[in-house]
Amino acid sequence: MEKILWELVQLVRQQSPLVHNITNYVVMNNTANALLAAGASPIMAHAKSEIQEMIGIAHSVVINIGTLDEYWSESMVMAAETAHSKGKPWVLDPVGAGATSFRDEVLHQLLPYQPTVIRGNASEIIALAKANTTVTKGVDSTAQSNEAVDAARSLVDQYKTIVCISGETDIILGNQQEIFIRNGHPLMTRVTGLGCSATALTGAFIGITEDKVSAVAAAMALIGIAGELAADESKGPGSLQVNLIDRLYTMTEQEFFNRLKIELK
Amino acid sequence: MEKILWELVQLVRQQSPLVHNITNYVVMNNTANALLAAGASPIMAHAKSEIQEMIGIAHSVVINIGTLDEYWSESMVMAAETAHSKGKPWVLDPVGAGATSFRDEVLHQLLPYQPTVIRGNASEIIALAKANTTVTKGVDSTAQSNEAVDAARSLVDQYKTIVCISGETDIILGNQQEIFIRNGHPLMTRVTGLGCSATALTGAFIGITEDKVSAVAAAMALIGIAGELAADESKGPGSLQVNLIDRLYTMTEQEFFNRLKIELK
Amino acid sequence: MEKILWELVQLVRQQSPLVHNITNYVVMNNTANALLAAGASPIMAHAKSEIQEMIGIAHSVVINIGTLDEYWSESMVMAAETAHSKGKPWVLDPVGAGATSFRDEVLHQLLPYQPTVIRGNASEIIALAKANTTVTKGVDSTAQSNEAVDAARSLVDQYKTIVCISGETDIILGNQQEIFIRNGHPLMTRVTGLGCSATALTGAFIGITEDKVSAVAAAMALIGIAGELAADESKGPGSLQVNLIDRLYTMTEQEFFNRLKIELK
């Protein structure tokens, strides 16, 4: 498994997949830079007038509901439908799931298009699983890992998707598979949008391989290790953001394997 | 007073207030990072379909009209009304007040919801006070401090608000109160959106205390001192932006008091 | 020619032209910072309710279709029309021209307002010239330089515009004029939006001189040289972005002339 992950990192660098993002305003710049640093090619486009054509030329699609509104949510649904019908892999980042009923309703519309991957924190995954049965609100910020795993498992089973619960330990759940990645650094939580960058990188990796579970693991390991390397040379969250982009670009095989902490179950 | 300011800095770090921002596209990333670095938790959300719910879970609200349009201005009015009716403190940043009649009309609609704080530069505060009586246009870029103080005073009296005129010296005017803060560095004017970050930080501080005047003073002192510390180690505006975020995160009590230049009148 | 370019760099620093940008979400922050670092004053505003007034107070206008949608494209057309009728110089960045028919249709509406300058990569310039005759789609990513020069020449002739084809060598074509600039660094292609920053800087330079061809050359030389200086001290694309902003601000006459590689034909 470990060997495959690094091969995928190299494959993204070589193949430069075109990743179509419909994401939030806060992270667009960082996300684009994270994708470029990892070797991928970002497109950011949300107009209903061009989404279908744009997805036609992309290798994969990223949908992140961070700063959604009525227009953007319709674009996202159109994008999910298009990706699904064209057989393009897509990843969903349910930012703020459970915080408002609007978010839950939009997520409820997106899920039937079977995201290839869903990546969120424990609270979001729990809220998403709840939103799936009946629209609810409120985020349990003290969400227990076990509860999140149960929620993730229900999403995996119902939508044939892969769920990545990110946190101190990232838990990746596929059909009959469970992978734990223990990379990353606490300072990363003080930089906005690194979760969104992880999602975008996931989009890049699922665009270049049929082994989608390994793709998610490679993306999470890559950003986690880049974060560790960056934290070692950063004075605070400002420099961490800059150094992390550098490290996505410069990371060597040795640095990757020296740091990688992965467990399969 | 000095002692209270540092206590408030620590309180933001400990309580991590949830700050709901409806702000401009240019600064969303930096603003979110400034809030995170200072210890607060940013939310960025503008959809009419969720604003009221989102404000329900936030400790305070930031409204910044930088890149407003018709939809966003309606969201902002809805947010101001909601904050006012729910008793949530909110801060208004009248970016570009006076530059166009559209901006002045939107500000005219926002003011009756009595912002807890208004933070702008001298020209904006003067334009805002004028827009308040009759819609006008044109920014006096050579606005005299005295004229701005008179304008600010009229806003304080009419709306029971606190006005912070930012500049080389930040002037904070409350009911019967006047505070001068002389921190900051000229290079800060060459980085986009540091005024917007000051406003967002103000939003964090008014979310954790009833002493709103001290909250504004603490926010302005914090960013001014962080800017001074950052400028000392920066080669230009690019590194200043990065170092300022680092310094918001790492600032110690000693650094704060060594630099603080405050005067009460 | 060389001497004029540096004089223009100094003129932007002294006169601080007001540059009105209708640009994409991804690059707004960087673009604003690049303009500030070079000495200009950015405005970012897109509301139909204020575009005409805003252009009235600006020295020049930048239109970048990167993340366009139906509303923004209407704003852009309104801005182009206003700039044209008021005689304000404006620059067009046809991001992703040829990728979708929507982009080509919007570009088709913008061109008749005769941009002072068009700046894009070879593929975009070729697609733009094609979109001009009949709406087509698809980007030729292996676009040959010669083909791009022919396409640019047709745009120059038809719209009395200046075209800058950016790439390893930037080619600037005006009426009877052809300038080659060979500055820049390969790492710049791994940072999002540096092309957009080049366009924005072009907007600043055309705002302060009637010699529009030299203005474009000065902008391209400035960012290319800043990129080279920055690359020398950067560990990857993250630090390059930061250092490039620093270098726009600190660049000296000697650094400029030591690096400048220009050829006139």
Side-chain angles (χ1 to χ4, degrees):
Chain A
M1 178 79 173
E2 284 86 342
K3 210 181 142 208
I4 292 170
L5 300 192
W6 179 250
E7 283 169 8
L8 292 176
V9 170
Q10 287 178 295
L11 215 56
V12 167
R13 290 178 178 179
Q14 287 156 18
Q15 299 195 353
S16 201
L18 207 53
V19 183
H20 179 191
N21 300 268
I22 305 181
T23 187
N24 71 70
Y25 301 122
V26 184
V27 305
M28 281 194 192
N29 186 268
N30 310 51
T31 299
N33 276 327
L35 286 168
L36 282 167
S41 293
I43 301 175
M44 306 268 160
H46 66 285
K48 292 181 203 171
S49 301
E50 67 173 6
I51 275 183
Q52 290 165 322
E53 263 181 283
M54 209 56 115
I55 290 177
I57 62 171
H59 293 97
S60 57
V61 181
V62 175
I63 298 179
N64 173 314
I65 67 165
T67 55
L68 87 177
D69 60 23
E70 297 77 11
Y71 179 95
W72 282 69
S73 66
E74 287 166 24
S75 293
M76 288 171 191
V77 172
M78 188 185 283
E81 186 182 4
T82 307
H84 185 254
S85 71
K86 286 186 194 283
K88 304 266 179 175
W90 71 283
V91 51
L92 172 65
D93 192 330
V95 178
T100 67
S101 49
F102 177 52
R103 281 174 195 249
D104 290 346
E105 281 159 26
V106 172
L107 290 168
H108 198 59
Q109 290 174 56
L110 289 169
L111 281 174
Y113 298 110
Q114 293 181 282
T116 314
V117 185
I118 301 167
R119 196 215 60 82
N121 61 36
S123 297
E124 289 162 349
I125 297 300
I126 292 167
L128 186 61
K130 280 185 189 157
N132 189 37
T133 43
T134 163
V135 174
T136 60
K137 63 176 173 172
V139 173
D140 178 10
S141 60
T142 57
Q144 296 298 314
S145 280
N146 284 349
E147 194 188 346
V149 170
D150 290 346
R153 183 56 66 199
S154 75
L155 292 166
V156 169
D157 291 344
Q158 186 171 355
Y159 296 106
K160 312 301 171 207
T161 184
I162 297 160
V163 175
C164 175
I165 309 163
S166 61
E168 210 178 307
T169 296
D170 301 318
I171 306 173
I172 300 163
L173 291 109
N175 179 29
Q176 312 270 344
Q177 285 177 291
E178 210 165 325
I179 299 174
F180 300 84
I181 294 180
R182 299 182 208 280
N183 289 108
H185 190 279
L187 190 56
M188 294 172 77
T189 63
R190 289 283 123 196
V191 178
T192 196
L194 290 189
C196 304
S197 290
T199 299
L201 291 174
T202 301
F205 280 83
I206 59 174
I208 50 125
T209 178
E210 284 310 308
D211 181 357
K212 305 303 184 192
V213 168
S214 296
V216 180
M220 299 309 293
L222 178 64
I223 194 164
I225 294 169
E228 289 178 25
L229 293 165
D232 283 355
E233 54 203 11
S234 297
K235 293 175 292 181
S239 43
L240 180 71
Q241 181 171 31
V242 173
N243 292 327
L244 190 149
I245 297 289
D246 281 355
R247 288 311 202 146
L248 287 174
Y249 181 76
T250 62
M251 194 183 296
T252 63
E253 187 174 356
Q254 198 183 338
E255 286 170 336
F256 186 80
F257 286 116
N258 279 352
R259 297 270 183 170
L260 182 63
K261 289 190 200 136
I262 189 170
E263 186 191 333
L264 281 72
K265 199 164 119 181
Chain B
M1 180 76 173
E2 286 85 344
K3 209 181 143 210
I4 292 169
L5 300 192
W6 179 250
E7 283 169 7
L8 292 176
V9 170
Q10 288 178 294
L11 216 54
V12 167
R13 290 177 178 179
Q14 288 156 17
Q15 299 195 353
S16 200
L18 206 52
V19 184
H20 179 189
N21 298 268
I22 305 182
T23 187
N24 71 71
Y25 301 122
V26 185
V27 305
M28 281 193 192
N29 187 267
N30 309 51
T31 300
N33 276 326
L35 286 168
L36 282 167
S41 292
I43 300 175
M44 308 269 159
H46 65 285
K48 292 181 203 171
S49 301
E50 67 173 4
I51 275 183
Q52 290 165 321
E53 261 181 286
M54 210 56 115
I55 291 178
I57 60 171
H59 293 98
S60 56
V61 180
V62 174
I63 298 179
N64 174 313
I65 68 163
T67 54
L68 88 175
D69 61 23
E70 297 76 11
Y71 179 96
W72 282 68
S73 67
E74 288 166 25
S75 293
M76 288 171 191
V77 171
M78 188 185 282
E81 187 182 5
T82 307
H84 185 254
S85 71
K86 286 186 193 285
K88 303 268 179 173
W90 71 284
V91 51
L92 173 64
D93 192 331
V95 178
T100 67
S101 49
F102 177 53
R103 281 172 198 251
D104 289 346
E105 280 159 26
V106 171
L107 291 169
H108 198 60
Q109 290 174 56
L110 289 169
L111 281 174
Y113 298 110
Q114 294 181 281
T116 315
V117 184
I118 301 168
R119 195 214 61 83
N121 63 35
S123 297
E124 288 162 349
I125 296 301
I126 291 168
L128 186 60
K130 280 185 188 157
N132 188 38
T133 43
T134 161
V135 175
T136 60
K137 63 175 171 171
V139 172
D140 178 10
S141 59
T142 57
Q144 295 298 315
S145 279
N146 285 348
E147 194 187 345
V149 169
D150 289 346
R153 183 57 65 200
S154 76
L155 293 165
V156 170
D157 290 345
Q158 188 172 353
Y159 296 105
K160 313 298 169 208
T161 183
I162 297 161
V163 175
C164 173
I165 309 163
S166 61
E168 209 178 307
T169 296
D170 301 318
I171 306 173
I172 299 161
L173 290 109
N175 179 30
Q176 312 269 346
Q177 285 176 290
E178 210 165 326
I179 299 174
F180 300 84
I181 294 179
R182 299 181 210 281
N183 290 107
H185 190 278
L187 190 57
M188 293 171 76
T189 63
R190 290 282 123 196
V191 179
T192 196
L194 289 190
C196 304
S197 291
T199 299
L201 290 175
T202 300
F205 281 83
I206 60 175
I208 50 124
T209 178
E210 284 310 307
D211 181 358
K212 305 301 184 192
V213 168
S214 296
V216 181
M220 298 309 293
L222 177 64
I223 194 165
I225 295 169
E228 289 178 24
L229 293 166
D232 283 355
E233 54 203 12
S234 297
K235 293 174 292 181
S239 42
L240 181 71
Q241 183 171 28
V242 173
N243 291 327
L244 190 148
I245 296 289
D246 281 353
R247 289 310 204 148
L248 287 174
Y249 182 77
T250 61
M251 192 183 297
T252 63
E253 185 173 0
Q254 197 182 338
E255 287 170 334
F256 186 81
F257 287 116
N258 280 353
R259 297 270 183 171
L260 182 63
K261 289 188 199 136
I262 189 171
E263 186 192 334
L264 281 72
K265 198 161 119 181
Chain C
M1 180 76 172
E2 285 85 343
K3 210 182 140 205
I4 293 169
L5 300 192
W6 179 250
E7 283 168 9
L8 292 176
V9 170
Q10 288 177 296
L11 216 56
V12 167
R13 290 178 178 179
Q14 287 156 18
Q15 298 195 356
S16 199
L18 206 53
V19 183
H20 178 188
N21 300 268
I22 306 182
T23 188
N24 71 71
Y25 301 122
V26 184
V27 305
M28 281 193 192
N29 187 268
N30 310 52
T31 300
N33 276 328
L35 287 168
L36 282 167
S41 292
I43 302 176
M44 307 269 159
H46 66 285
K48 293 182 203 171
S49 301
E50 68 173 4
I51 274 183
Q52 291 166 322
E53 262 180 284
M54 209 56 115
I55 290 178
I57 60 172
H59 293 98
S60 57
V61 180
V62 174
I63 298 179
N64 174 313
I65 67 163
T67 54
L68 88 176
D69 61 24
E70 298 75 13
Y71 179 96
W72 282 69
S73 66
E74 288 166 24
S75 292
M76 288 172 191
V77 172
M78 189 185 280
E81 187 181 6
T82 306
H84 185 254
S85 71
K86 287 186 193 284
K88 304 268 179 172
W90 71 283
V91 52
L92 172 64
D93 193 330
V95 179
T100 66
S101 49
F102 177 52
R103 281 174 195 248
D104 289 346
E105 281 159 25
V106 172
L107 291 168
H108 199 58
Q109 291 174 55
L110 289 169
L111 282 174
Y113 298 110
Q114 293 182 280
T116 314
V117 185
I118 300 167
R119 196 215 60 83
N121 62 35
S123 297
E124 288 162 350
I125 297 300
I126 291 167
L128 187 60
K130 281 185 188 156
N132 189 37
T133 44
T134 161
V135 174
T136 61
K137 62 176 173 171
V139 173
D140 178 9
S141 59
T142 59
Q144 295 299 315
S145 280
N146 285 347
E147 195 188 344
V149 170
D150 290 345
R153 182 57 66 199
S154 76
L155 292 166
V156 169
D157 290 345
Q158 187 172 354
Y159 296 107
K160 312 300 168 208
T161 183
I162 298 161
V163 175
C164 174
I165 309 162
S166 61
E168 209 178 308
T169 297
D170 301 319
I171 307 173
I172 300 162
L173 291 109
N175 179 29
Q176 312 269 346
Q177 285 176 291
E178 211 165 325
I179 299 174
F180 300 84
I181 294 180
R182 298 183 209 279
N183 289 108
H185 190 279
L187 191 56
M188 293 171 77
T189 63
R190 289 282 124 196
V191 179
T192 197
L194 289 189
C196 304
S197 291
T199 300
L201 290 174
T202 301
F205 281 83
I206 60 175
I208 51 126
T209 177
E210 284 310 308
D211 181 356
K212 305 301 184 193
V213 168
S214 296
V216 181
M220 298 310 293
L222 177 63
I223 193 165
I225 295 169
E228 289 178 25
L229 293 165
D232 283 355
E233 55 204 10
S234 296
K235 292 175 291 180
S239 43
L240 181 71
Q241 182 170 30
V242 173
N243 291 328
L244 191 149
I245 296 288
D246 281 354
R247 288 310 203 146
L248 288 174
Y249 181 78
T250 61
M251 193 183 295
T252 63
E253 186 174 359
Q254 198 183 337
E255 287 170 334
F256 186 80
F257 287 115
N258 279 353
R259 297 268 183 171
L260 182 63
K261 289 189 199 137
I262 188 169
E263 186 192 333
L264 281 73
K265 198 163 119 182

